[in-house]
Amino acid sequence: MEPLHPLTRRLREVHDELHGEAGGELRSSIPALQEVDPDRFGLALCTADGHLHEAGDVTDRFTIQSVVKPFVYALALTDSGFDAVHDSVGVEPTGEAFNALVLEDVTGRPPNPMVNAGAILTGCLVAGDDATTRKQRIRDGVSAFAGRSLDDDERVSESEKGAGERNRALAWLMKAEGSLPYDVEDALDVYVFACSLEVDARDLAVMGATLSAGGWNPVTGEQVVPPTVNRTVLSVMATCGMYDGAGRWFVDVGLPAKSGVAGGIVAVQPGQLGIGAWSPRLDEHGNSVRAARACALLSERLGMHELRPEGKGLRVVAAHERREGGRLHVVRLQGPLTLRNADEACRAVVAAAQELDDAAHRPGAVVVDLRSVGWLHEPAVQLLCTTVDDVQAAGHLVRLVDRDREESPEWEGSTPESTLESLEEAVAQCASALRPR
Amino acid sequence: MEPLHPLTRRLREVHDELHGEAGGELRSSIPALQEVDPDRFGLALCTADGHLHEAGDVTDRFTIQSVVKPFVYALALTDSGFDAVHDSVGVEPTGEAFNALVLEDVTGRPPNPMVNAGAILTGCLVAGDDATTRKQRIRDGVSAFAGRSLDDDERVSESEKGAGERNRALAWLMKAEGSLPYDVEDALDVYVFACSLEVDARDLAVMGATLSAGGWNPVTGEQVVPPTVNRTVLSVMATCGMYDGAGRWFVDVGLPAKSGVAGGIVAVQPGQLGIGAWSPRLDEHGNSVRAARACALLSERLGMHELRPEGKGLRVVAAHERREGGRLHVVRLQGPLTLRNADEACRAVVAAAQELDDAAHRPGAVVVDLRSVGWLHEPAVQLLCTTVDDVQAAGHLVRLVDRDREESPEWEGSTPESTLESLEEAVAQCASALRPR
Amino acid sequence: MEPLHPLTRRLREVHDELHGEAGGELRSSIPALQEVDPDRFGLALCTADGHLHEAGDVTDRFTIQSVVKPFVYALALTDSGFDAVHDSVGVEPTGEAFNALVLEDVTGRPPNPMVNAGAILTGCLVAGDDATTRKQRIRDGVSAFAGRSLDDDERVSESEKGAGERNRALAWLMKAEGSLPYDVEDALDVYVFACSLEVDARDLAVMGATLSAGGWNPVTGEQVVPPTVNRTVLSVMATCGMYDGAGRWFVDVGLPAKSGVAGGIVAVQPGQLGIGAWSPRLDEHGNSVRAARACALLSERLGMHELRPEGKGLRVVAAHERREGGRLHVVRLQGPLTLRNADEACRAVVAAAQELDDAAHRPGAVVVDLRSVGWLHEPAVQLLCTTVDDVQAAGHLVRLVDRDREESPEWEGSTPESTLESLEEAVAQCASALRPR
Amino acid sequence: MEPLHPLTRRLREVHDELHGEAGGELRSSIPALQEVDPDRFGLALCTADGHLHEAGDVTDRFTIQSVVKPFVYALALTDSGFDAVHDSVGVEPTGEAFNALVLEDVTGRPPNPMVNAGAILTGCLVAGDDATTRKQRIRDGVSAFAGRSLDDDERVSESEKGAGERNRALAWLMKAEGSLPYDVEDALDVYVFACSLEVDARDLAVMGATLSAGGWNPVTGEQVVPPTVNRTVLSVMATCGMYDGAGRWFVDVGLPAKSGVAGGIVAVQPGQLGIGAWSPRLDEHGNSVRAARACALLSERLGMHELRPEGKGLRVVAAHERREGGRLHVVRLQGPLTLRNADEACRAVVAAAQELDDAAHRPGAVVVDLRSVGWLHEPAVQLLCTTVDDVQAAGHLVRLVDRDREESPEWEGSTPESTLESLEEAVAQCASALRPR
């Protein structure tokens, strides 16, 4: 038996459904982009732990174009720091098209790094002494996101250079406003180079998965950019990524995303997965018709909308057992330990302590069993620790039981030493301590 | 022992830290808003399961003002449907101030429901035959979000009517453009009424919690608006909620939010909690200085940023045991069953089936234990079911074990009848079936 | 014999040529304006000395609409002074349509009095304590321009009030910006009233003639507004009168003008004449197709373009005679005495004095004969007087001869007493003075 | 005696008054322009018949900068025709600054040729195969306006090239929009060259005088551009010449004008004179403070406002004598024969004919004496001829008497042969014809 993985199946279904969709046009101003077969269509999805699913023409190469913008922004933030980048480029959506000649009134800054003006600037803010080294940094950095070494398509960059009048206008305008304190030709050279990197739909999926995993490439295991940078990049993709249709996209699809004029789209479900989609025909906003539809269908069918809060069924306290004549409470937690759940968990621990106080007027013990908690949100752990400290301060004994985790949270105060891996041992320790000597 | 709940403690810490913050001014154009004590400061937080935490002046009443906009939008979507509302009001951020005279070029629509023009329109789209009944619907609907019956402050609405020249201009402009096919005075009357509803910081926290729980008020248990409406409202708050600073807010705070000129802010962590903050002094964008800072500090300290993907430690497959000489596999899952986890879970089930095929060339059995799964994402369940069906189609026996949930997912195909509540029974059924007769 | 006056004939030719022109549409938003026969077409011309020429439907009444704007502006300037009006309304063209929601950035002023916002404001700046008295002032003032008492069409003003949403928006916006410190409803009431005054093509021609004659109605002989006000009004009509087509109009037609949505246009050739044209069908800018074409054709055929400098043939010095053995020079001037001519005249007088000095080293005499000078530009007269004074100061005798003029220029210095009406007497006086005693 | 010409005296008065004016700053972005003595101040005036008056530093050379724009526009119109130029550049004022990035919505055209974008384009539309020949054409053409061969200041053009980022942005933007179908670097090279031509205040005065005389240089006698081109240039200067202050300038000064960043201003009183003014310190709009004030003062004191209609005293009919027992009428005309005067003249001729008809019922004769008419407006002559034809058609004899003019109007119909130079002869011919044979 060789069953098809259901995610792969879903992907293929969407691919098949949309293959007949012949809407849109090859509408780039870049001549070399006109030479592609408009019927090609690749769809890939990579989970945040690095499993790849594919449908269609996923190994066809195309130039990344504007999809590179969030990644160059990520590299600029990493290399120059948030303050320096933000002094140069805003983070506000504008309701304008990607190539609009709109700079901020007082500062002359581009409104955000997802429009051309912004990306021309962020390309100057990656590490490097000159255009050559900055281009190398971008190639290396974007390759790290993709998990393989990317080539650039010189034919396209040559073609784009000839057609890039509007970008040249933008660059000179920023120069005039004092907001581009770099050589204009170098800046455009780097920008065009970044846009000309060759990717396939699989690459975009892995790049998206890296963003979904906090900047950590789940295929190569490399931390490409710091989590705080990653979070900023996703935030800006959410509000500015889809140009003048960003608001509608977020309402309908609910995923931070970025599209490019060669037909590629990357979309990210934070913590979950990245989607890479590609098909050359574009709608009037410059987004690939099929790729955008594919993202929308996948989001709908797989419930990926970022702002779809779920789960009235969530119960973090799986069990609350009383042992040793009510003097030993075992609180078993499950699910992820998030803020909301931590609140419930804290209440359970406090309730146990209260019961001990009320019933016995003698010190008792509380064992908190975290082994079934899939994931520990660190601030939530800190809240729990605060409660544990309070209960201990009231004279009760507390033991935490947890499995050996790849990344353990930083335990606060006196709590860490009380953490054991075996429930039996914890219960035994407590029972022993409670017994009158 | 009466330990302070750690979330309450965190809230009080933030409240105390910001109490000295004297920046900002009472800058409303509404005379009645000038009469408040500028030093008041209330902070409340309500979890998505309805537990409230408070600090400071949480029972001081103030008018809701623009914070009402997402809620009126939610009611309009509920009463008139997404298409009708979207025909009248866009969902795009504009980079403009809240009272900007910007309508969409071709349609004449307000750009989004978070600016005044948009809210004047959505106030016309709630159920009701006239201004009176629409006002009643808004009072009832917003009260349902807050979980208590809200009064309006007639003194403020009277004061606001006198000062609302710009809103009157907006309304007439929309009338002229044909995008406000309602009586202008009625529309303004309803709008001013909605803004004049009296709330306190606790109310805002519960209203935020209701948005965080998919439109379900966790205090009263009422489903106030459908989840799909709720999702749209949160999406628009994310991209348009904080006016011309929406992009920066989402980068820094990472929470859908809305502020009002009386000093209130509601912020939402989807699935987790709502924050209600209030203090009268405003910054130059019209946001309460302390309330905005409080949201930012809480987001930072409690790790609430919506686009902070976490959890490399997430492992959904808690255990994979082989019994009956390798002919019976028990796959135990834990944590929430999300897309990414479902992927891992499916792979484990497929791996088990593969092992059965390889090793035995005889049918075997797989038991999937879901009891420790805190929450089931329905599309993830469907993916799992698909895999289960595949394995069954290959001749193997599959049993799902799950606890009795408040809301069970809709199982697909033949799977439902195979779900049991007892692992022992499932294992026994399988073992019996596998034994040669 | 009753020959047709050639100007009347020209007018009729243009009228006949354009009668077949069926382009344009009745496109007003004011319902009552839809009820007119779209084929009506009236054309009138009134010279700056009050002679009227007519063609077509010159007695059909229609509402003046926006054609009233320059006249209300003139009344506001007269009643409130230039500074007060300019503090409230700018004088800059905008390149925007007549009803654009554009106010000046810092001041919130309407850009100019020829757009609706500006006219709403100037209507508040005419003399009057309330709407009623301001309406009366406007009716009286515009009637004075037209030379007959004008009625208003209440049916149209009622109709317009219902349709004036955009103007209401403009008024409230100005109110919000603080640039309309008047009651909004009163301001709109006055504006709509002004627009509803009933005129015919003859009225517009006389009103234009009044502007062409420096604010002096050549039919009634009344000075309706001061010349400085009149000059400002014409200047603003020149740069802002034809909305977003003002630049092209001035290039093509070269006349200050103003059009209205009921199909009327007034055009002015300063110092020469006014044109009144009317036909209901409008082009996409809101100008009457036939009326605009009629103005263009008349301007072209009658050489009315204001910036068409002419006349290399101009010679102000008609003759320079030497009498009394070269000791008495008679300089005879002709044409209008403009700056350029004054320059030539001064040179001739100086040359005569020079000749006297060179030839005789004895005092001589210069008689300047101004009787054939059609018109004396006062600053030019002053230049001439300066020269006369210089020549007298050098010891020569000077006599000016001029006919008795309706409006004599103010003569400077000692010159006035030397002005005679008879050349013979002047020559005799000089000859006698030159003779040795 | 060497009396100072009164115009020179006026000029010196204004120069002296403004010499103390120290307002404004050297604020050019062009480094080489910073090196000038900011106290220099030259003022010149040239009449439309070529007489020059001067005050102050009239021989100091400076770069012409934007003052060249109307002249390059004139050359482009001459070389490429109005339609081709208008297809490329609009004629509408915008209310925007000189270097605004504003192109027309649909066409992508610069709004007018007085802003940088427009001048970059018109520089491409003068005759020439490449940048070199176009530069030569501009040097030659502008020199023809000035009446002497102009050099360019290479130091300034080099300096400007380095500082021209905004112009480069404008050029690339137009390239992107398809509205600049020329090589960008060539276009900028030509533009910068044109701006770097060296002039002094006298040159500007002569250039203005040439515009005032219909494109005819009154110093050299050369017709530099056709009158129709000249008229268009003046029209565009009137509405667009002074950038965002064009409206106010036309209200206050009432003269078509153009300023440049090196401190020069040219102003034109059509038919009368040109003013050249220069002083380096600029106001916030980029206009020379002293030069602008000088133009304003001169306009006020010399009554130059273009839209100041004058002359209620104008009477074209100087005398109407009846001879030969009322059967021979002599109508003597004076002043310029304009439209308005022609109307009066026609009425006088018709009245004479009417009197002949009424009194005698026999043919009579009318002699029209035009010798004192300084200037004949051709359309006015045609009106008069029409009347003459009518009177002749009614059976009367008509004779025109006129002096031998440099440029005679084109007489219509049968009239020409009836024109004599001697009144006596005309009267004699008529008297003879009227006598019974």
Side-chain angles (χ1 to χ4, degrees), chain A residues 323-324 327-330 363-368 392 395-402 414-437:
Chain A
R323 301 187 185 181
E324 303 282 327
R327 293 192 54 213
L328 193 160
H329 291 247
V330 177
V366 181
V367 174
V368 182
Q392 290 187 137
H396 302 295
L397 188 67
V398 183
R399 286 291 178 277
L400 299 185
V401 179
D402 197 5
S414 57
T415 318
E417 54 259 46
S418 343
T419 306
L420 307 171
E421 287 193 27
S422 156
L423 176 63
E424 285 68 35
E425 191 181 337
V427 167
Q429 280 186 9
C430 290
S432 154
L434 292 178
R435 260 166 231 143
R437 258 157 280 185

Side-chain angles (χ1 to χ4, degrees), chain C residues 4 24 45 57-58 63 70 84 100 110 112 124 171 180 196-197 221 226 246 285 301 306-307 333 372 374 389 402 424:
Chain C
L4 202 57
L45 183 157
D57 308 313
V58 293
T63 50
N112 67 62
C124 299
L180 182 73
S196 75
L197 290 172
H285 299 291
R301 295 190 185 168
E306 183 61 18
L307 297 178
L333 304 181
S372 291
D389 288 347
D402 197 6
E424 286 68 37

Side-chain angles (χ1 to χ4, degrees), chain A residues 71-93:
Chain A
F71 302 98
V72 172
Y73 183 46
L75 299 175
L77 287 170
T78 303
D79 296 352
S80 296
F82 183 77
D83 288 345
V85 174
H86 191 68
D87 284 351
S88 300
V89 189
V91 291
E92 297 301 329

Side-chain angles (χ1 to χ4, degrees), chain D residues 170-211:
Chain D
L170 277 166
W172 281 109
L173 177 61
M174 291 190 286
K175 188 80 177 174
E177 295 279 324
S179 54
L180 182 74
Y182 305 96
D183 182 85
V184 164
E185 290 305 322
D186 277 3
L188 291 170
D189 183 28
V190 170
Y191 173 77
V192 167
F193 171 83
C195 292
S196 75
L197 290 172
E198 278 191 312
V199 293
D200 57 28
R202 284 191 313 203
D203 294 325
L204 293 186
V206 175
M207 292 164 78
T210 302
L211 290 177

Side-chain angles (χ1 to χ4, degrees), chain A residues 155-169:
Chain A
R155 208 169 44 90
V156 168
S157 54
E158 278 314 306
S159 180
E160 193 157 358
K161 270 177 200 165
E165 296 99 350
R166 200 169 177 93
N167 290 334
R168 190 156 262 110

Side-chain angles (χ1 to χ4, degrees), chain D residues 123-293:
Chain D
C124 299
L125 293 165
V126 302
D129 295 329
D130 53 21
T132 306
T133 48
R134 289 206 299 270
K135 282 154 73 173
Q136 191 56 47
R137 165 62 176 143
I138 287 173
R139 184 201 298 272
D140 292 348
V142 179
S143 295
F145 271 103
R148 72 170 185 88
S149 180
L150 302 177
D151 292 323
D152 62 298
D153 183 335
E154 287 187 30
R155 208 170 41 90
V156 168
S157 54
E158 278 313 306
S159 180
E160 192 158 357
K161 269 178 200 165
E165 296 100 350
R166 200 169 177 91
N167 289 336
R168 191 156 263 108
L170 277 166
W172 281 109
L173 177 61
M174 291 190 286
K175 188 80 177 174
E177 295 279 324
S179 54
L180 182 74
Y182 305 96
D183 182 85
V184 164
E185 290 305 322
D186 277 3
L188 291 170
D189 183 28
V190 170
Y191 173 77
V192 167
F193 171 83
C195 292
S196 75
L197 290 172
E198 278 191 312
V199 293
D200 57 28
R202 284 191 313 203
D203 294 325
L204 293 186
V206 175
M207 292 164 78
T210 302
L211 290 177
S212 87
W216 174 79
N217 186 321
V219 174
T220 64
E222 182 184 356
Q223 186 77 32
V224 182
V225 294
T228 50
V229 161
N230 194 79
R231 177 184 106 175
T232 296
V233 172
L234 286 177
S235 300
V236 176
M237 288 170 78
T239 53
C240 315
M242 297 303 270
Y243 307 131
D244 41 349
R248 183 68 192 252
W249 175 272
F250 208 57
V251 164
D252 288 348
V253 183
L255 300 175
K258 190 78 203 68
S259 71
V261 79
I265 294 184
V266 67
V268 180
Q269 186 181 21
Q272 302 294 323
L273 51 80
I275 298 173
W278 169 72
S279 194
R281 279 194 286 257
L282 309 181
D283 66 17
E284 73 279 14
H285 298 291
N287 299 324
S288 165
V289 173
R290 285 165 169 173
R293 290 275 297 129

Side-chain angles (χ1 to χ4, degrees), chain D residues 60-79:
Chain D
D60 279 38
R61 296 278 158 84
F62 52 91
T63 50
I64 189 168
Q65 299 298 338
S66 289
V67 182
V68 86
K69 287 171 181 170
F71 303 98
V72 172
Y73 183 46
L75 299 174
L77 286 170
T78 303
D79 296 352

